[in-house]
């Protein structure tokens, strides 16, 4: 169902039924309930997703919609999406060693003149790799935010940052 979340409700239901082969395999009634919620705006976007690479798209899509719904100007929205992508990618790639299953929490909030971002994992911190072609994510996150912090302890790693809304003002800092 994740692949149809941007389709109109009627099309989403029909697509799911086709993919399941319900038309060919069931002689009885089959029901798929699809609901699309409109007009509910929250000043925070909160997600908890599995720490898996294919979930990064889920995070970006949800954040993109939330930022658009809150009329965050495109330059600042792009910086928030870049920051989220870097922080969540780090959690997915580095926090859960040896294939251990884990989760990533995302919290995005709209404040006065800024969007605050918090990405948290529950895995183990690993220092940046010695490979000079890797480990640029922290620099990117610092460059697109007016405030950046990362804390790590036995309970995981948390990245917190603030992106100014005034037309992406943090770039180049």
């Amino acid at each position: 169902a994740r692949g149809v979340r941007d389709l109109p409700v009627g099309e989403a239901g029909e697509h799911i039924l086709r993919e399941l082969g319900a038309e060919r395999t069931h002689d009885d009634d089959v029901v798929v309930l699809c609901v699309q919620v409109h007009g509910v705006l929250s000043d925070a976007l909160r997600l908890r997703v599995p720490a898996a690479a294919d979930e990064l798209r889920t995070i970006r899509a949800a954040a993109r919609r939330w930022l658009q719904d809150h009329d965050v100007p495109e330059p600042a929205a792009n910086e928030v999406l870049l920051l989220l992508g870097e922080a969540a990618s780090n959690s997915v790639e580095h926090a859960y060693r040896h294939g251990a299953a884990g989760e990533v929490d995302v919290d995005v909030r709209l404040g006065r003149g800024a969007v605050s971002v918090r990405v948290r994992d529950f895995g183990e911190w690993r220092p940046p790799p010695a490979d000079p072609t890797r480990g640029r994510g922290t620099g990117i996150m610092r460059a697109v935010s007016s405030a950046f912090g990362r804390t790590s302890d036995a309970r995981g790693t948390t990245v917190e940052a603030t992106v100014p809304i005034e037309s992406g003002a943090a770039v180049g800092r």
Side-chain angles (χ1 to χ4, degrees):
R2 287 185 180 145
V4 299
R5 66 173 66 171
D6 291 328
L7 292 177
V9 172
E11 289 179 36
E14 291 172 11
H15 180 80
I16 291 168
L17 285 172
R18 273 194 311 277
E19 289 295 311
L20 292 173
E23 303 156 342
R24 298 182 306 273
T25 60
H26 289 85
D27 295 330
D28 203 355
D29 294 335
V30 176
V31 176
V32 173
L33 176 63
C34 297
V35 177
Q36 187 173 26
V37 179
H38 293 284
V40 178
L41 285 181
S42 170
D43 60 344
L45 169 67
R46 293 179 197 94
L47 302 169
R48 177 171 277 188
V49 299
D54 59 341
E55 292 295 333
L56 297 173
R57 179 177 40 172
T58 301
I59 293 169
R60 282 191 302 271
R64 186 176 292 112
R65 280 191 302 272
W66 185 87
L67 291 160
Q68 288 170 344
D69 289 347
H70 287 81
D71 298 321
V72 174
E74 190 173 338
N78 288 339
E79 290 176 352
V80 169
L81 292 170
L82 180 58
L83 193 145
L84 274 173
E86 289 296 330
S89 293
N90 284 345
S91 290
V92 166
E93 185 176 354
H94 302 296
Y96 301 100
R97 299 180 191 201
H98 314 296
E103 294 179 314
V104 178
D105 275 354
V106 173
D107 188 296
V108 182
R109 294 177 184 268
L110 189 58
R112 290 183 165 213
V115 177
S116 62
V117 174
R118 185 180 70 134
V119 177
R120 181 173 183 224
D121 65 57
F122 306 93
E124 297 177 51
W125 166 253
R126 288 194 291 183
D131 181 351
T133 64
R134 307 249 334 165
R136 296 185 177 140
T138 298
I140 290 169
M141 290 185 283
R142 285 185 196 282
V144 299
S145 62
S146 60
F148 173 83
R150 179 181 52 226
T151 57
S152 297
D153 60 26
R155 295 172 299 191
T157 297
T158 301
V159 168
E160 294 181 284
T162 303
V163 175
I165 291 177
E166 63 275 355
S167 59
V171 173
R173 287 189 181 177

